């Protein structure tokens, strides 16, 4: 039951659909422009750098706030599984972001929320994840490729650090943590299936931060 509560808490935070709200403030429905995705990359392309930055930061924070709320509520009573519960909160946030009920379950792809997961889960995860995403992005300018590789690296890191005892959880809880993370990765890959197809056929759109011209 406590897992469900954590997912619900996360889902409520995830319902703050930053890209959609910001777009409405500018008089548009972001889902009807560009790629149709209510997330950071499409906001950057359609509404500019300021919009992209605001959406990115807010989506990170809403995941972080959900995880922090769960830790404050259950840290003392469930300290032996608090990392697992915070991951459930992050999962709920991603679900709320991707499938907001009040927008017909059409939202984003959850990558900025995943960045929040990484940042607020444990600081040991941050350096390699940042290096992976920004290394891929500034080399290829493919946001989708960097985002998907982040999940692969995240799974590897979680297992490595989990088995090394960094999260202070019993093996059954660790196994559950790994399974949940794999499910989140599967959701991300499913959400990026069109991007994957374009990457394979070498016609994925590139994103640049310093100039307007895009492939």
């Amino acid at each position: 039951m406590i897992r469900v509560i954590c997912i619900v808490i996360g889902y409520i935070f995830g319902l703050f659909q930053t890209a959609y709200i910001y777009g409405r403030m500018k008089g548009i429905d972001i889902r009807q422009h560009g790629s149709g995705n209510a997330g950071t990359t499409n906001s950057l392309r359609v509404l500019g750098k300021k919009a992209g930055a605001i959406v990115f930061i807010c989506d990170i924070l809403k995941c972080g706030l959900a995880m922090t709320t769960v830790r404050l509520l259950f840290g003392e009573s469930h300290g032996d599984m608090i990392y697992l519960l915070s991951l459930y909160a992050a999962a709920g946030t991603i679900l709320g972001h991707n499938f907001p009920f009040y927008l017909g379950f059409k939202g984003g792809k959850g990558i900025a929320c995943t960045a929040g997961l990484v940042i607020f889960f444990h600081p040991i995860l941050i350096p390699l994840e940042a290096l992976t995403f920004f290394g891929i992005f500034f080399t290829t300018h493919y946001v989708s490729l960097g985002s998907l590789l982040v999940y692969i690296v995240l799974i590897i890191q979680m297992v490595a650090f989990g088995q090394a005892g960094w999260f202070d959880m019993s093996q059954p809880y660790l196994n559950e943590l790994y399974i949940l993370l794999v499910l989140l990765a599967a959701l991300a890959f499913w959400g990026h299936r069109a991007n994957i197809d374009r990457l394979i056929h070498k016609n994925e759109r590139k994103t640049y931060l310093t100039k307007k011209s895009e492939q």
Side-chain angles (χ1 to χ4, degrees), residues 112-214:
C113 292
T114 300
L117 185 166
V118 170
I119 292 169
F120 286 88
F121 188 88
H122 198 295
I124 197 172
L125 301 174
I126 298 174
L128 187 54
E129 295 301 323
L131 180 63
T132 298
F133 178 79
F134 289 109
I136 294 296
F137 174 70
F138 286 117
T139 300
T140 69
H141 296 285
Y142 291 137
V143 174
S144 56
L145 181 60
S147 301
L148 295 175
L149 288 177
V150 158
Y151 259 109
I152 293 175
V153 173
L154 182 58
I155 292 172
I156 295 171
Q157 281 202 98
M158 284 283 204
V159 173
F161 291 125
Q163 295 307 119
W166 279 85
F167 307 141
D168 296 319
M169 290 195 300
S170 64
Q171 193 61 49
Y173 287 151
L174 285 172
N175 293 339
E176 189 176 347
L177 183 86
Y178 305 151
I179 291 171
L180 180 56
L181 188 60
V182 168
L183 291 175
L184 289 176
L187 178 63
F189 273 78
W190 173 256
H192 285 81
R193 59 194 182 280
N195 304 84
I196 294 171
D197 182 69
R198 290 193 294 269
L199 284 168
I200 292 173
H201 292 92
K202 298 182 180 180
N203 59 1
E204 172 70 323
R205 189 177 183 181
K206 294 185 178 183
T207 299
Y208 297 89
L209 298 179
T210 57
K211 58 183 179 179
K212 294 184 178 180
S213 60
E214 295 176 351

Side-chain angles (χ1 to χ4, degrees), residues 30-44:
I30 191 68
R31 301 171 304 160
Q32 296 177 3
H33 297 267
S35 67
N37 180 58
T40 298
T41 303
N42 200 35
S43 297
L44 172 67

Side-chain angles (χ1 to χ4, degrees), residues 9-20:
I9 289 172
Y11 187 84
I12 292 171
F13 276 96
L15 291 177
F16 187 85
Q17 231 303 334
T18 317
Y20 175 80

